[in-house]
Amino acid sequence: MAEEALLERLDRLHEEHKNKTILAEIAALPEEIRREYGIQGRLARALGNLGQMKKALEVLEATREEGENDPLWWYRTARALFGLDRFQEAKQYFAQALELDPTDRDARYFIPLCDTMANKGESQAGKRNKY
């Protein structure tokens, strides 16, 4: 099991926006620790922060069962979907994160933004299809 100090160090690196360092530190961990749920969540967060949304989503999907009741898992998955312009799916995941943690201001912020972005995308698609 990952030590609390390791998780705290990864969180501190996140606060310092050192996402590449997070990836390197996780890659250097023994396989059994690297595959732990808490480590995988931090890996997905770092990948997402680096714009690697597909990879982040893959990591999160691999931990779906463990994340079922974790609002952070739902939020991180929603952010990855949002980054992939899958706004309606993201909205559902943000809503689940908010249901599990009604105090999550970030999820509350993103729910209407998903609608705005989806509508913007539809209007842009309409403009591209005009002759």
Side-chain angles (χ1 to χ4, degrees):
M1 179 174 242
E3 294 179 19
E4 193 64 33
L6 169 62
L7 299 176
E8 289 174 5
R9 185 169 68 247
L10 294 174
D11 290 341
R12 189 173 51 256
L13 289 169
H14 165 71
E15 291 169 8
E16 296 170 359
H17 306 287
K18 295 182 178 178
N19 294 293
K20 289 181 182 179
T21 303
I22 293 169
L23 296 183
E25 287 209 16
I26 291 174
L29 293 172
E31 178 74 19
E32 65 273 6
I33 294 174
R34 193 169 51 238
R35 292 287 163 211
E36 289 181 15
Y37 179 75
I39 300 294
Q40 290 294 290
R42 286 159 175 86
L43 173 62
R45 179 177 63 192
L47 289 167
N49 288 339
L50 290 168
Q52 298 179 34
M53 300 304 178
K54 287 183 182 180
K55 285 184 180 179
L57 196 55
E58 289 172 12
V59 170
L60 290 160
E61 283 298 324
T63 60
R64 175 179 284 276
E65 189 173 317
E66 291 173 283
E68 187 174 295
N69 295 310
D70 181 0
L72 260 180
W73 182 90
W74 289 93
Y75 178 81
R76 288 174 176 158
T77 304
R79 286 296 307 259
L81 290 166
F82 189 90
L84 292 168
D85 296 342
R86 292 165 57 180
F87 303 116
Q88 291 308 314
E89 285 177 83
K91 180 180 175 181
Q92 294 171 351
Y93 281 76
F94 283 125
Q96 184 62 33
L98 190 59
E99 183 175 317
L100 291 169
D101 179 5
T103 66
D104 187 335
R105 292 180 293 165
D106 292 329
R108 188 177 309 280
Y109 167 81
F110 273 100
I111 291 171
L113 186 57
C114 287
D115 288 331
T116 300
M117 296 303 290
N119 292 335
K120 182 178 179 180
E122 289 171 9
S123 68
Q124 293 297 322
K127 288 179 184 177
R128 286 192 300 266
N129 292 331
K130 292 188 178 187
Y131 294 103

